[in-house]
Amino acid sequence: MSSRSRGAGALVALVALFTAGYLAPYLLPTVVGRLSAGLGLTPAQAGLVGSVLLLGSSTAGFTLAARGERIGPRRAARAGLLAMIVGYGSAAATGTVPLVVAGAVLGGLGSGTATAVAAAGIAGRRDPHRASTLGLLSVSAAAGALYLTLPHLGTGHAPPLLAIVCAAALVWPVTGRLEGGTRARADAGAAHVAGPLPYRRAGAVLAGGILCWSLAQNALWGVSGRIGTTQAGLSEVTVGAVFAAALGAGLAGVTAAGALGSRLGRAVPIGAGTVVIAGCVLLSSAAGDLVSFAAGEILWNAVYPVVLSYLLGLAASLDPRGRWAVLVGSASSLGVACGPVTGSLLSEGAGYPGMGAVLCCLLLLVAAPMTAVARHAAGRPLVPGSVRRRGGAPAAVLAGSASATPSLVPQVGAPEQPVASIRVPVAAGRRRLTKSTFGLARPSDRG
């Protein structure tokens, strides 16, 4: 098998693993809503169960950030998928609340493990933004199809959990395309870069910012189903159709982000996109009918994955070994985990519009530091002679190779000039060198 085929197979495996790991957060509204309705929990209690599930996911990510390379991607991925199957499957099979919580925690650990392996693998690829975009496209499509299907599969808390189990089982076979031992580079010639964690200050700011960013959005996402059914007066089928349309808009947004690439850099999509999301949060939280609810949810979900893809690409660019990608992804999962209970508590205390105002302010506050990291810690100019991708592979061959792509690196400075040689006569014996020994330095007259 050629190296290109192996690289394509590894990309397929990483995208599938990313999809399985992110499916639980994407299905959070229906999971929380069905836990509340099916098990007789209050909204705050159901939100707490959802938070515990996602807290297990973030815990797994933080744990694997330092140990993932020693375990190996294939082994870690299969362990995560197995935990998802056993955990979510056991939670779906029982109606006893403590057993449901235990199963949700185990399943969350599995989701976090799968996501961490995918994030580390994506960070090591030549174009991490493209790989993360494909992952977001895949999970948005899967979640959108499930939001259309789940309302027709009966009531109770089991159907969404069983859907995640099926996704994990379907992804299992493709994990054979991942590396079995310690992680190897997709580029065979790229050196594995070891050393201390780079960009510590920028990475810490980004991790803290994305924690608050994810918390604010998932606080709303966790109660969006209840906003639609109670405040806007919609049926579960209608709310599911709105969510499916919103995730379809997310597919369009991520496709546009993939086509746009790095033309605008990362700062503009992250900063401006977060401001737009803050406005959507206000609109959705105050929705009183189908039009306002659908408009807020669809526009929000169209912009959210676009910004997330640039944030994931930014994290991947900070460390070629993928440690910041895993840590930032785990911080995002921690924010997602705190989101449902935060949204439930805020909505009970201040109402849905008051909750939206608080979350909008939080998003506007974190937009500035994340944009600053995007401006100053990434997007440095490419200089011939020192250009390497952060994954370790050369961005272009600059030494006259026939396969070099001139468009990858712009011409910088004046054209190279010939260097004149200067002859230095060998001193005989111990004769002292004087000024007359040397001639005037000038280009040679010969050919």
Side-chain angles (χ1 to χ4, degrees), residues 267-279:
V268 172
I270 290 173
T274 300
V275 172
V276 173
I277 289 171

Side-chain angles (χ1 to χ4, degrees), residues 92-194:
T94 182
T96 305
V97 174
L99 294 180
V100 171
V101 174
V105 171
L106 180 59
L109 288 170
S111 293
T113 302
T115 303
V117 174
I122 287 172
R125 297 195 67 82
R126 289 190 172 187
D127 191 349
H129 180 260
R130 176 176 174 270
S132 60
T133 298
L134 290 174
L136 289 170
L137 280 172
S138 178
V139 70
S140 296
L146 287 173
Y147 273 116
L148 289 176
T149 307
L150 288 174
H152 305 287
L153 298 180
T155 59
H157 70 287
L161 297 175
L162 290 177
I164 302 173
V165 170
C166 291
L170 290 173
V171 170
W172 183 284
V174 303
T175 57
R177 301 180 181 184
L178 298 174
E179 292 293 332
T182 55
R183 196 181 75 182
R185 290 286 169 207
D187 249 334
H192 185 77
V193 181

Side-chain angles (χ1 to χ4, degrees), residues 220 224 227 231 279-287 292-293 295-297 300:
L220 177 62
S224 287
I227 291 175
Q231 182 171 281
C280 294
V281 168
L282 275 180
L283 179 61
S284 293
S285 62
S292 57
F293 180 73
E297 293 290 325
W300 173 29

